[in-house]
Amino acid sequence: MAEGFPDALAGTVAGIVYRNDETGYSVLRVTTGDGDGKFGLKPSEVVVVGTCGAVWEGEDLHAVGEWVTDKVHGRQFKAKEITCATPHSVAGIERYLASGLIKGIGPEYAKRIVAKFGEGTIEMLDHHSGRLREVPGIGTTRAARIKKSWEAERGTREVMIFTQGYGISVAKTVKIYRRYGADSIAIIKSDPYRLCRDIWGIGFSTADKIAMSVGMAKDAPERARAAIVHTLQSEAEAGGHCWTAEPELLLHANELVDIPVERLAEALKEEEMAGRVVAEHPGGVAEEPRRVYLRDLLRAERTVAFRVRRLLDSARSFDPIDPARAIAWWEEKTGFRLAPAQTSAVRMSLQNKVSIITGGPGVGKTTIVRALVDIFGARRDGNGRPLLNVVTAAPTGRAAKRLSEATGMASQTLHRLLKYNPQTRKFTYNAENPLAGDVFVFDEASMVDIYLMENVLLALPPSATLIIVGDTDQLPSVGPGNVLHDLIASDAIACSRLTEIFRQDNSGLIVRNAHRVNAGEGFECPKAGEDSDFYFIPQNDPGKTLSFVLDFMATRIPRKFRMDPMEDVQVLSPMRKNALGTENLNALLQRRLNPEGPAVQRGATLFRKGDRVMQLRNNYDKDVFNGDVGFIAEAYPAERRLVVTFDGKPVEYASGDLDELALAYATTIHKSQGSEYPAVIVLLHNQHYMMLQRNLLYTAITRGRKLVLVIGSKWATSKAIETNTVRGRRTSLAERISGRIQPPTHERVVPPQDGHQGN
């Protein structure tokens, strides 16, 4: 038919030229039965472009659309609607099975299976898969694997057909099927809002779109209740808040769904009765608006407060240590003399059950921690064995590694310390099975959110001595809460604030400029031609800024400082989007540093063997966590599968898991928390104006150990330094610890009757 007029096309998918699993947009090579349907022409191959939920080589395809002539790619069929189905021809079935769709079947086994069962292959796989063992080379194990994969694929396809009209990507559809199984469609139809509660990456708007399409009324109670929960979740995820004032909650929910506030207030009561949300008056003051929490956030706050008070009120597991003698012993042993502020901090932690050491870079926190670990570890029995078990940990792998280097003892991440059990989906160490240890030292505490602190404190024995180390001037945790700040603000915990700078590496400008920024002062820069560990390159033009980043990371820094750009240099930007955001930077840096090799496409991102990548969420089953950085060891394009190594440990990512990864040549400053790199390149530009804050720039500078290079406009750096209106987080932890908000009666802390004194 002529171009521009509706037409239909049928054929077999011969190849997938391009596929975006986020949008479903595909470019397909399709073999038609008789060319253009005219004059008995032999089968020919055409290009079909359009959106479809799922597609594999060998499938039968039916498309409705029109023929167009693309200026670059020539004649192609532009489809408005694409439907794919299991193939019926022997050749189509063989290609379908050989495509990598079914685990356990490659090209050779596809040929053997089709040779045995012919056109009845699909029927056999659907209803008589036990007959697979009749095929030469297929035993019980492979047959079971093929059966499981086939059943999962068939179920996923049905869900994909259902979800494709709602903008749900293939990767997220796979997650839906994993969660709900064969009942996925029924569950989604009965309660679409479960999707935004249960499936990471699916938002309220998508669930709401499905709800409207299946006939739910705009003012339905289910929609109103979902709006309440979603608003609370958004406040926690986007702002880090633990609670929202009731009037503000109702107003924001009203803006979201345009349901009258009165109906939303009823929905709030229903959610309270169901136990998903809890509201309380602060300090029992009825005149103030109620603080509304998601149930788990309130539980976490109460648990942290209760456990902190219990630690403070319980006896230590060992006899007191004389600080003066201990400090003198350590100074003589190491030949290092502590400064007065450091001496005071060591004394404080030796004398108190729970203590906090806080301060910026170069103020001696590492030396204090090393001294404390040495002193606590020095107690020995008659056989020379340590009497005290000292445990050190940090939120991220890089921070734990630095802690190990500083103390000389093995450290690990907090998640791995608690040991997640995939079978029970709980941490192995908890209130019923506490960690073994007398002294616990936790570093980089500014990164710890309320949920992680809850699990950490649940696992500590009441007799434990706890030392918390961190920098309150850095960005707060990505997750909800402001734990380190609140612990200090409670005034219930001994705290040492360090301000005097001791570390002066090279010319010391990294440390000095971090403190200058924190004090609201501009950069101190080296003189022209002078070697330094800190440089600022003013640049207003975004294009030239990008060129500088590529040149410095790929060439100039490696050449001058002998650093590996893949291992040692990290680009930091305040934002993900725009030309100077991490997404564009990663694409450009990948092209420059790792342009060739096998790769797997996910959306607009190409994951290539050798790429540096970052995990975007906690995945306890894989034992990888938000912010972990690794390298792609293997990429299997046909199977859409990656193997990523994290600290030498291989982790497999199937196609449905790829949305948990991002390229990490460049990362946001928020995501860099807790990490330290030999060199960082920091971008600050007018494009980032919405994010420009003093603590953001301070955090970025403190990520660099040997070299910090700031590239950007003078206006942006000045704006960041001047803007110190840090957005507060709505939490009640400090009030709970201090007693200004009393716990429920059943949670009140009762001082121990008999304090246990250990050796």
Side-chain angles (χ1 to χ4, degrees), residues 271 360 469 501 744:
E271 283 299 299
V469 185
I501 300 174

Side-chain angles (χ1 to χ4, degrees), residues 347-579:
R347 182 185 299 112
M348 175 201 70
S349 294
L350 292 174
Q351 291 176 323
N352 288 276
K353 188 87 169 359
V354 182
S355 59
I356 298 172
I357 300 167
T358 186
V363 296
K365 297 193 301 292
T366 300
T367 300
I368 293 167
V369 170
R370 184 164 57 238
L372 287 168
V373 168
D374 287 348
I375 290 169
F376 283 120
R379 281 197 167 180
R380 307 277 165 166
D381 63 16
N383 296 317
R385 291 173 298 201
L387 285 170
L388 301 183
N389 182 8
V390 181
V391 178
T392 61
T396 67
R398 286 177 180 264
K401 184 177 180 181
R402 291 201 313 274
L403 189 57
S404 295
E405 293 167 351
T407 61
M409 65 177 298
S411 300
Q412 55 189 317
T413 65
L414 292 169
H415 287 99
R416 292 188 175 97
L417 175 69
L418 299 177
K419 289 187 180 178
Y420 184 77
N421 186 328
Q423 280 69 46
T424 62
R425 306 193 73 82
K426 294 180 180 179
F427 286 112
T428 300
Y429 293 105
N430 48 43
E432 289 71 39
N433 181 38
L435 291 159
D438 301 289
V439 179
F440 294 82
V441 180
F442 298 144
D443 198 5
E444 292 285 359
S446 64
M447 290 187 64
V448 179
D449 65 26
I450 192 69
Y451 288 129
L452 181 54
M453 183 56 80
E454 175 192 24
N455 284 295
V456 166
L457 293 179
L458 281 170
L460 293 189
S463 60
T465 291
L466 175 60
I467 300 167
I468 299 170
V469 185
D471 184 352
T472 56
D473 292 319
Q474 287 187 25
L475 293 167
S477 58
V478 175
N482 200 357
V483 174
L484 179 60
H485 172 273
D486 290 347
L487 293 176
I488 296 172
S490 72
D491 289 328
I493 301 170
C495 179
S496 180
R497 299 174 184 269
L498 304 167
T499 57
E500 184 181 354
I501 300 174
F502 298 103
R503 194 178 87 206
Q504 295 293 332
D505 299 329
N506 300 322
S507 62
L509 286 187
I510 291 177
V511 172
R512 289 211 294 276
N513 278 320
H515 286 272
R516 286 179 66 87
V517 166
N518 208 26
E521 301 172 3
F523 295 149
E524 178 183 340
C525 296
K527 297 176 182 178
E530 183 178 75
D531 284 342
S532 176
D533 61 354
F534 183 97
Y535 298 90
F536 172 54
I537 299 178
Q539 181 53 249
N540 293 321
D541 182 80
K544 291 181 179 178
T545 300
L546 287 172
S547 296
F548 273 131
V549 172
L550 295 173
D551 189 35
F552 274 100
M553 184 168 185
T555 306
R556 296 173 69 171
I557 290 177
R559 186 170 57 208
K560 180 175 176 61
F561 296 93
R562 296 185 178 180
M563 292 184 182
D564 182 347
M566 300 293 283
E567 295 275 359
D568 301 329
V569 187
Q570 181 67 57
V571 176
L572 302 178
S573 174
M575 301 173 71
R576 289 176 49 237
K577 302 295 184 180
N578 74 39

Side-chain angles (χ1 to χ4, degrees), residues 616-755:
L616 299 179
R617 65 183 290 257
N618 291 339
N619 188 320
Y620 297 102
D621 294 332
K622 294 183 185 297
D623 195 33
V624 289
F625 303 99
N626 188 3
D628 283 357
V629 174
F631 290 86
I632 298 177
E634 298 292 344
Y636 301 97
E639 302 174 39
R640 295 186 46 74
R641 180 170 62 92
L642 300 175
V643 177
V644 182
T645 56
F646 294 93
D647 293 326
K649 182 187 72 173
V651 178
E652 186 166 311
Y653 287 80
S655 60
D657 303 321
L658 297 181
D659 60 341
E660 297 183 10
L661 290 175
L663 294 175
Y665 300 99
T667 188
T668 63
I669 297 170
H670 276 87
K671 283 288 188 181
S672 72
Q673 284 177 270
S675 296
E676 190 178 72
Y677 310 92
V680 296
I681 301 172
V682 183
L683 274 71
L684 278 188
H685 194 270
N686 302 13
Q687 289 186 5
H688 305 132
Y689 70 96
M690 297 216 26
M691 300 291 293
L692 297 176
Q693 291 273 339
R694 184 180 298 176
N695 62 352
L696 185 89
L697 178 54
Y698 173 80
T699 299
I701 293 172
T702 55
R703 298 309 90 204
R705 186 167 67 249
K706 297 179 180 178
L707 176 67
V708 172
L709 172 62
V710 180
I711 306 175
S713 68
K714 291 183 178 180
W715 180 88
T717 55
S718 297
K719 180 68 174 175
I721 292 169
E722 293 167 4
T723 307
N724 197 31
T725 54
V726 179
R727 301 178 184 91
R729 292 190 166 188
R730 294 190 292 273
T731 73
S732 302
L733 180 59
E735 296 167 275
R736 296 186 195 283
I737 295 173
S738 66
R740 295 193 294 277
I741 294 180
Q742 291 292 321
T745 304
H746 68 280
E747 289 186 4
R748 290 189 185 278
V749 178
V750 179
Q753 299 298 310
D754 298 305

